Amino acid sequence: MLVRIVKMSFEPSKIKEFLANFEANKSKIRGFEGCNFLELYRDQNNTNIFFTYSYWNSEDDLNNYRHSDLFKSVWAKTKPLFNAKPEAWSVSKVASLK
């Protein structure tokens, strides 16, 4: 399993537009083959900063999504809203406590 974390910083005036786009596409992203989990987080202090947190079966599944028409469509609407370059990490879970 691969965990993907993406940090995105938006122009404050563009946050509603980002949230509407995420809302319209979140089920499609979560339903994409190989995606097992998807969450969106918002920084409590810097409220224009968001993180997506997703679980993928494999790097191939993530790459299939990243090269899909769905990703290209979502990213085309998201990219112009940024006020800083997004950052992304693919990580492996080391420990999980419940």
Side-chain angles (χ1 to χ4, degrees):
M1 179 183 70
L2 177 145
V3 179
R4 183 72 166 183
I5 304 166
V6 180
K7 177 184 177 186
M8 300 169 287
S9 181
F10 296 96
E11 285 293 333
S13 64
K14 303 293 185 181
I15 291 172
K16 285 184 182 180
E17 189 175 345
F18 162 70
L19 290 173
N21 188 37
F22 185 82
E23 183 66 28
N25 290 287
K26 66 184 182 184
S27 294
K28 295 175 196 170
I29 297 167
R30 171 57 186 87
F32 199 88
E33 185 174 348
C35 182
N36 298 305
F37 182 83
L38 175 64
E39 288 186 327
L40 177 66
Y41 301 110
R42 188 175 195 173
D43 190 282
Q44 290 186 355
N45 297 311
N46 298 308
T47 57
N48 64 308
I49 296 176
F50 290 80
F51 299 85
T52 56
Y53 185 78
S54 56
Y55 293 173
W56 296 86
N57 287 337
S58 68
E59 187 172 3
D60 285 342
D61 288 324
L62 173 62
N63 286 332
N64 287 339
Y65 167 67
R66 292 180 63 223
H67 294 99
S68 71
D69 289 339
L70 174 59
F71 176 82
K72 291 173 186 172
S73 171
V74 171
W75 199 246
K77 293 179 181 176
T78 305
K79 191 174 179 179
L81 310 177
F82 293 137
N83 66 1
K85 184 177 179 182
E87 299 178 66
W89 300 268
S90 292
V91 299
S92 298
K93 188 183 295 189
V94 175
S96 180
L97 306 173
K98 292 186 180 188

